[in-house]
Amino acid sequence: RRGDKVSLVAFKGGLAEATVALPPTSSRRRARHRLEEVPLSGQTPLGDAVRRARLLLRGELLRHPNAVPLVVVVSDGLPTVPIRRGADPVQELLAEGRALRRARIGCVIAEVAEPEHGCAAAFAEASGGTRLPLSALAADVLLETVEESG
């Protein structure tokens, strides 16, 4: 939509942390291009990615107080890299989910794996978000989620 912005937080091949691969932009072409470039790896610092997304959105909300923030997590729901050395990556992810809820940031979890293999259900509950299979991710689902959280 006109005025909407998108950003991309991704895992950089082999690094144990997430990075902002695309700062907030209203360019759909630029967003699509960056998304196509994201490498897939076995390292999943999912908690760190959610933390970075939350902080990024907090900054956007300071600049644009009327914005309706939404985090869309596309994942197998299997965090493997903790934020802090020696910590449990699943517990950190759930803590970040609760932080999203407290910050009133909407969340959609699009699973790319079978539900029984990850912690997407627990993360959805912690964040107050909506969980669905990636195949069901559609613009109308995202719009409905934004309207509910706004």
Side-chain angles (χ1 to χ4, degrees), residues 46-59:
L46 192 52
D48 188 46
V50 172
R51 181 182 66 82
R52 288 177 190 265
R54 179 177 51 81
L55 296 174
L56 185 70
L57 285 172
R58 186 172 68 184

Side-chain angles (χ1 to χ4, degrees), residues 4 6-7 9 13 27 33 35 51 77 100 103 111 119-120 135 143:
D4 286 349
V6 65
S7 182
V9 177
S27 169
H33 178 71
L35 187 58
R51 181 182 66 82
L100 281 177
E111 291 181 277
C119 64
S135 61
L143 181 58

Side-chain angles (χ1 to χ4, degrees), residues 83-137:
I83 298 170
R84 291 177 311 282
R85 180 176 281 190
D88 179 347
V90 171
Q91 291 308 311
E92 286 184 326
L93 176 63
L94 298 180
E96 285 301 324
R98 291 187 292 274
L100 281 177
R101 183 185 284 224
R102 284 191 305 273
R104 292 188 168 96
I105 295 174
C107 186
V108 172
I109 300 95
E111 291 181 277
V112 297
E114 296 300 316
E116 64 272 3
H117 295 298
C119 64
F123 177 60
E125 184 176 330
S127 67
T130 301
R131 184 181 116 225
L132 46 93
L134 181 61
S135 61
L137 190 61

